[in-house]
Amino acid sequence: MPNTLFLKPFLSVPSINFSKQYAYGNTCQDNLKIPSRLKVLCSGMLKPRKFMQRRREKEGFKDAADEEAQNFWKTLMLEIEESGSPVPVLQSRREKNTALPKEIVLGTLCRLKHLKNWNAVGKLLEWLRTQHWWDFNQMDYSMLMTAHGKQGDIIKAERLMDYMNKKGFPPNVVSHTALMEAYGRGRQYDKAEAVFHRMKTWGPQPSAVTYQIILNIFVEGNKFHEAEEIFDDLVNNEQSPLKPDQKMFHMMIYMHKKAGSYQKARKLFKLMADRGVQRTTVTYNSLMSFETDYREVSRIYDEMQRAGNRPDVVSYALLIHAYGKARREDDALAVFEEMLDADVRPTHKAYNILLDAFAISGMVEHAKIVFKSMKRDRFFPDLCSYTTMLSAYINASDMNGAEKFFKRIRQDGFEPNAVTYGTLIKGYANANDLDKMMKAFKEMETSGIRANQTIMTKIMDAYGKNGDFESAVFWFKEMEARGCPPDQKAKNILLSLASTDEERELATRVVEHRHNLDDDDDVWLDFAGDDDHVNDDDAGEDDDVSSFEGNVDDLFAVSSW
């Protein structure tokens, strides 16, 4: 059992409860009262880290022959990486009219397969098919099918399967699974399902890997009912030769995450224990990703530690994210410090999450320290980092600082996107500076960036709150004209802005007209209009986590909206 890592006591029961006076009590950053412990923690981020210390790698060799062999493979793989293809590299090592040593060919294939470089595997095998000195057998064909399947190359997979059938090769589970995966990656889900059922009926019988792949195909294709049927059959069918393994459980928990079925995910979590399937850090991370309440995230985190599972960077990022959204900045920073003290290397995303935790409450000085420490740890802030830092100034009502930082974004080589401009527009709207708000909006349009529905809703709201209801109605209608019809939130805002009977009558008429159009079209339009845009209510939610195998790339979104 791995060593259990326990966090400092104040993480689960914080000694300081951040009250609203810290988050909102003063608009001026200089007057914001910061607990002394938070100052110490934040300053401590800039101290050197163990994982940043360069260590000379010590390579152990059994003998001189082993050293020569390892150096040979290291050189060969570097050449392949630089070339982009193993074929010219191996051709250069082949002497005229002689075959390449079998050990070199198989060793290269194994290493490329281990690296999951399926493009290179496919190129090498296709070349070997044309070489008279190489006996291209069924195992080679199966590996080539796997390479086509992993790349989602349906045409090549179908042609190779037809060729293997004509050659009289007996059906094998590897080639059929590869064909099924090719269909799945090519989004031809019905054909993938047909191959799977054909395997179950006529053979070859699906393996555990086949089941893992078909479940993944169904989940990625949002065919949740089909995935549940297959999984339930494995669980309940006593005659089934296979039982769900850890990867299958993880995939199904992720599926329920996508479908928003938390209770079903919890049921599967319990079933894993009942069936003796080990629950790992990945399992607990998947449950934590469901939760928005920091108390529940913390509870699952503690449960994971009690079970003897060591937190990874995803675990820490999820807990930091939960504390940040709850505006518990001291706890968010403390978790980050624990992660560093545990020698868990933070990812770029983890830094963005911590940055967001301070930006939500407008804690500019502390956000600046996080921003600086990213560079110290050799992570260069991206546009998301800059936009989040900008939101810290906005939430602190420091528009002078926001304007200066907005200029710095371009100076540092980044071009603001819709979210960046939207953050600045929000700041001007909150400050009731309509002239600068519209100046920023026009600059955005001049830059070729299309305004989304969220930005126009903010502009509509700003005009309405400044007593210009006529302009508010104009921007409500402008959403439709610009191809991003108002959602229910925009309708509710317009209705709330009406202050006289005449205005309420006009607002009701405009909203009902939009409602009738929605009924006629019978479509649900995405309010954002762009994958990069973030919504007021859902910003920061983890709606698109594609994997729980340590990937945190989709855990963060700018939550200033």
Side-chain angles (χ1 to χ4, degrees):
M1 179 181 294
N3 294 329
T4 304
L5 175 65
F6 291 101
L7 293 179
K8 297 174 184 176
F10 59 78
L11 286 182
S12 55
V13 186
S15 58
I16 294 178
N17 184 8
F18 242 57
S19 63
K20 289 186 178 181
Q21 65 175 329
Y22 292 126
Y24 302 110
N26 298 297
T27 58
C28 180
Q29 183 68 17
D30 295 335
N31 296 330
L32 188 64
K33 295 182 180 179
I34 305 297
S36 59
R37 178 165 57 80
L38 185 55
K39 292 180 181 178
V40 173
L41 282 172
C42 203
S43 300
M45 289 184 62
L46 297 178
K47 69 182 181 181
R49 297 295 169 196
K50 292 180 181 179
F51 63 78
M52 293 302 301
Q53 298 172 1
R54 294 187 178 181
R55 299 183 178 90
R56 187 175 181 179
E57 295 184 4
K58 296 181 178 179
E59 298 182 86
F61 304 109
K62 297 178 182 177
D63 49 37
D66 182 55
E67 181 178 4
E68 183 181 359
Q70 290 195 37
N71 289 334
F72 167 81
W73 285 113
K74 184 183 294 185
T75 302
L76 183 67
M77 298 310 292
L78 284 173
E79 289 180 10
I80 291 174
E81 184 179 356
E82 292 173 358
S83 172
S85 172
V87 176
V89 176
L90 293 182
Q91 282 178 329
S92 66
R93 293 176 180 271
R94 180 191 169 204
E95 296 181 5
K96 190 175 182 180
N97 298 325
T98 59
L100 271 172
K102 188 175 182 179
E103 294 77 13
I104 294 180
V105 176
L106 295 179
T108 304
L109 280 170
C110 288
R111 284 166 174 79
L112 291 173
K113 181 181 176 183
H114 178 72
L115 294 171
K116 297 183 180 180
N117 189 345
W118 295 107
N119 182 44
V121 170
K123 289 179 179 179
L124 179 53
L125 288 170
E126 289 285 9
W127 176 65
L128 289 174
R129 283 183 72 183
T130 66
Q131 303 303 302
H132 63 84
W133 48 268
W134 183 262
D135 180 20
F136 206 87
N137 55 32
Q138 184 177 2
M139 186 178 296
D140 297 324
Y141 279 110
S142 297
M143 184 178 286
L144 183 56
M145 276 291 297
T146 301
H148 293 331
K150 295 293 182 184
Q151 296 177 89
D153 196 327
I154 296 174
I155 295 176
K156 288 185 178 180
E158 287 178 336
R159 288 176 179 174
L160 188 58
M161 179 63 81
D162 289 341
Y163 180 82
M164 292 173 69
N165 291 335
K166 291 178 181 178
K167 284 291 184 178
F169 290 120
N172 69 82
V173 66
V174 175
S175 58
H176 280 70
T177 300
L179 179 62
M180 180 187 74
E181 185 170 15
Y183 285 131
R185 290 182 180 271
R187 301 183 182 277
Q188 296 189 18
Y189 303 115
D190 291 339
K191 289 186 177 180
E193 184 178 6
V195 173
F196 176 76
H197 287 301
R198 190 162 62 243
M199 291 174 69
K200 287 190 66 177
T201 305
W202 304 104
Q205 287 301 308
S207 64
V209 175
T210 310
Y211 276 97
Q212 292 169 9
I213 291 174
I214 192 62
L215 287 175
N216 181 70
I217 289 171
F218 283 151
V219 172
E220 292 304 315
N222 294 327
K223 297 172 76 70
F224 301 148
H225 177 70
E226 290 83 348
E228 224 169 344
E229 280 187 344
I230 291 175
F231 186 80
D232 289 344
D233 183 61
L234 287 175
V235 171
N236 301 321
N237 188 354
E238 296 181 357
Q239 297 180 348
S240 175
L242 293 172
K243 293 300 177 184
D245 58 17
Q246 189 184 84
K247 288 186 177 181
M248 295 182 200
F249 272 101
H250 287 167
M251 179 53 62
M252 294 305 293
I253 290 175
Y254 167 58
M255 184 196 79
H256 292 310
K257 153 79 177 177
K258 286 187 71 175
S261 305
Y262 179 69
Q263 292 304 322
K264 288 185 177 181
R266 260 291 176 190
K267 185 178 179 182
L268 284 182
F269 183 76
K270 183 178 182 300
L271 184 62
M272 289 181 74
D274 296 340
R275 294 298 179 94
V277 180
Q278 183 181 7
R279 296 186 292 195
T280 65
T281 300
V282 173
T283 318
Y284 287 96
N285 287 348
S286 64
L287 282 183
M288 289 168 64
S289 70
F290 272 91
E291 296 295 339
T292 55
D293 188 333
Y294 75 92
R295 299 179 188 86
E296 188 63 20
V297 176
S298 180
R299 185 192 65 76
I300 297 172
Y301 182 90
D302 292 340
E303 183 181 344
M304 174 181 66
Q305 289 187 310
R306 288 194 298 271
N309 292 295
R310 185 182 179 90
D312 60 12
V313 68
V314 182
S315 316
Y316 287 115
L318 288 167
L319 190 57
I320 291 169
H321 181 65
Y323 279 133
K325 283 184 69 69
R327 290 174 169 78
R328 298 180 68 90
E329 299 84 358
D330 53 345
D331 295 318
L333 184 56
V335 176
F336 193 86
E337 283 288 313
E338 284 291 343
M339 178 177 69
L340 297 177
D341 291 340
D343 286 340
V344 175
R345 186 182 180 90
T347 62
H348 197 286
K349 197 60 61 178
Y351 267 116
N352 277 346
I353 291 172
L354 183 65
L355 187 64
D356 185 59
F358 290 120
I360 289 173
S361 297
M363 300 177 68
V364 176
E365 294 304 317
H366 296 79
K368 283 181 180 178
I369 292 179
V370 177
F371 201 78
K372 290 178 182 178
S373 64
M374 290 180 73
K375 295 182 178 179
R376 188 280 317 269
D377 288 345
R378 299 175 191 166
F379 289 108
F380 293 97
D382 57 10
L383 183 58
C384 183
S385 312
Y386 278 89
T387 303
T388 307
M389 188 67 217
L390 176 66
S391 72
Y393 287 102
I394 299 297
N395 292 331
S397 299
D398 182 3
M399 289 310 299
N400 183 45
E403 289 172 346
K404 291 179 180 178
F405 191 80
F406 187 81
K407 292 178 181 178
R408 179 183 166 184
I409 294 176
R410 280 204 172 95
Q411 291 171 357
D412 288 354
F414 291 95
E415 281 298 322
N417 62 11
V419 179
T420 315
Y421 273 107
T423 303
L424 185 64
I425 288 170
K426 173 195 171 185
Y428 287 132
N430 292 345
N432 295 321
D433 193 337
L434 302 186
D435 290 338
K436 286 189 175 181
M437 178 187 73
M438 291 310 300
K439 182 180 178 181
F441 180 80
K442 291 175 181 177
E443 180 184 324
M444 179 185 70
E445 289 196 314
T446 303
S447 300
I449 299 172
R450 184 169 63 92
N452 59 43
Q453 190 265 354
T454 306
I455 292 175
M456 287 190 283
T457 299
K458 196 67 185 177
I459 294 175
M460 176 192 74
D461 189 35
Y463 275 112
K465 287 179 178 178
N466 280 272
D468 191 347
F469 185 75
E470 184 179 346
S471 294
V473 172
F474 168 81
W475 280 102
F476 184 88
K477 295 179 179 179
E478 189 70 4
M479 297 181 204
E480 173 70 29
R482 290 172 178 263
C484 44
D487 63 355
Q488 188 59 47
K489 181 176 181 179
K491 296 174 185 176
N492 292 340
I493 290 175
L494 181 65
L495 291 171
S496 69
L497 293 173
S499 57
T500 66
D501 291 339
E502 184 180 351
E503 288 177 353
R504 280 189 283 271
E505 182 181 350
L506 175 60
T508 302
R509 187 167 64 250
V510 172
V511 168
E512 286 181 351
H513 173 70
R514 178 63 246 169
H515 180 71
N516 292 334
L517 288 178
D518 290 339
D519 290 341
D520 292 339
D521 295 340
D522 195 27
V523 293
W524 180 260
L525 295 173
D526 183 5
F527 77 95
D530 192 302
D531 292 340
D532 290 331
H533 303 157
V534 184
N535 154 296
D536 289 76
D537 298 327
D538 299 332
E541 295 299 321
D542 310 321
D543 294 327
D544 191 28
V545 181
S546 59
S547 169
F548 292 112
E549 301 295 335
N551 183 357
V552 294
D553 286 344
D554 295 308
L555 287 177
F556 175 78
V558 176
S559 60
S560 58
W561 283 93

